[in-house]
Amino acid sequence: MENHCKGMNLIDFIKKYSGKKVDFDGAFGAQCVDLFRQYSKEVNGTPHTGAVDGAKDLFLSYDKLPQEKKYYFRIKESAGTIFQSGDVAVWGATASNKYGHVAIIVSDLGSGFIVFEQDGYKQDGAKLSYRERGNMLGVLRAYKTV
């Protein structure tokens, strides 16, 4: 584990990007993974953690992403687990979305979450939303920072 200095906090990040389209890599428009990358850089002080085919691969291919392993640890979803504000939630693929989804948890409400997210299909910018736990793979949590 490596300590690194934080940039801004989650609330400042939400204020800065709410309603804006975040296209971190300049490819495919404003995707959910782009918001994760921007959050990682500005809030957790982490570099780009490696290319993935879809958001689900941030969790499923974790062992093949050395930068991600350096800055985040993975926590699998299980009944009763309460996640923290700032954790990065990852959902698996569905019949209508083969890429899965990633969002930043603002608050764990038990059966679901208030998250800060971006929808790559709608391309409507970053926003606060409610997401259910169903089909969630787990979270990526940044190693403690200074």
Side-chain angles (χ1 to χ4, degrees):
M1 286 183 257
E2 177 179 304
N3 283 337
H4 50 282
C5 295
K6 274 191 168 189
M8 68 175 60
N9 65 37
L10 175 58
I11 300 303
D12 291 338
F13 183 80
I14 292 169
K15 287 178 184 176
K16 181 177 181 180
Y17 290 107
S18 187
K20 296 181 180 169
K21 295 179 182 181
V22 179
D23 187 3
F24 185 85
D25 60 7
F28 307 110
Q31 304 288 310
C32 61
V33 174
D34 288 313
L35 189 66
F36 160 68
R37 301 271 189 233
Q38 197 71 43
Y39 171 76
S40 291
K41 177 182 177 184
E42 292 189 36
V43 177
N44 293 328
T46 61
H48 189 296
T49 56
V52 292
D53 289 332
K56 69 183 180 342
D57 300 315
L58 293 166
F59 198 85
L60 297 175
S61 297
Y62 173 84
D63 290 328
K64 298 176 187 171
L65 299 167
Q67 283 291 91
E68 187 168 283
K69 287 171 59 176
K70 182 176 180 180
Y71 294 102
Y72 291 93
F73 62 98
R74 183 172 59 171
I75 304 170
K76 292 182 180 180
E77 164 67 335
S78 63
T81 303
I82 302 296
F83 296 111
Q84 299 174 4
S85 175
D87 283 347
V88 177
V90 183
W91 284 266
T94 64
S96 62
N97 177 359
K98 68 179 184 176
Y99 302 106
H101 187 63
V102 62
I104 299 111
I105 294 175
V106 177
S107 182
D108 187 333
L109 304 174
S111 62
F113 309 95
I114 301 298
V115 297
F116 192 56
E117 66 180 357
Q118 182 165 264
D119 186 324
Y121 291 107
K122 292 181 182 176
Q123 293 286 309
D124 57 357
K127 62 189 174 295
L128 289 168
S129 302
Y130 175 79
R131 285 268 171 186
E132 302 259 335
R133 290 183 99 99
N135 202 38
M136 182 181 172
L137 300 170
V139 303
L140 301 175
R141 180 174 295 163
Y143 286 114
K144 295 296 179 199
T145 56
V146 293

